[in-house]
Structure formats: C-alpha cells, structure tokens
Amino acid sequence: NNEVALAVRPEQPQVLVARRSANARALSPERLHLDRRQLAKCPVLEAEERLRLLNYQSNVVTCIENLEGLPELGFPQLFG
C-alpha cells in the first residue's frame, strides 16, 4: 500500500512535503515508494522515522536533499 499525499506548505510554497496515512505507514513502515511521480526534487518526508528503503526511481531529481530525521535509512534508490 502506497497512499502518499504530496503537497506544498502554504507558508513555504517552495517546500514540497510527502506524507502517508497512518494506516499506510503501519502496513509498510520501512519502505516508501515515490517512483514515477515526475519529482524534480526530494520532498520533506513527514513522520517517516522508521524508513529504511526510499525509492525515487524514474523521477527527474537532480539534488538529493531532505533526508534529515531518517536515522534508519540505508540509501535511497535513484536509478532510472
């Protein structure tokens, strides 16, 4: 299950935020797939402290950023 909402912060329109529902996070707390979403930059990930695998494949990300607060993250998948 990969219910992810992407939105900008109203007070900071340049900041893209990704957030999953509590149910989606509970079903897969260690994995998040943000592949094939036409992302040009890495969003801020909210409430994802247990994340170990992050998939950004098939996007157009040119700079890896916003990985703070992810102590369990091994490495993001960026291929393609």
Side-chain angles (χ1 to χ4, degrees):
N1 195 333
N2 197 27
E3 303 167 22
V4 180
L6 291 168
V8 294
R9 288 186 173 155
E11 68 281 2
Q12 295 175 299
Q14 74 280 9
V15 177
L16 182 65
V17 177
R19 185 168 180 88
R20 293 192 282 180
S21 67
N23 184 51
R25 211 170 28 258
L27 290 172
S28 185
E30 296 182 345
R31 295 175 179 263
L32 178 59
H33 296 280
L34 293 173
D35 53 319
R36 298 177 183 87
R37 293 177 185 256
Q38 311 282 316
L39 295 173
K41 59 183 180 178
C42 301
V44 172
L45 304 175
E46 293 189 342
E48 295 291 351
E49 296 80 17
R50 295 177 57 195
L51 202 60
R52 296 177 63 89
L53 183 139
L54 178 58
N55 182 352
Y56 280 128
Q57 292 176 312
S58 300
N59 283 294
V60 291
V61 174
T62 58
C63 179
I64 306 304
E65 58 189 347
N66 298 319
L67 299 181
E68 301 86 7
L70 303 173
E72 303 299 321
L73 185 64
F75 59 89
Q77 295 180 350
L78 303 166
F79 306 103

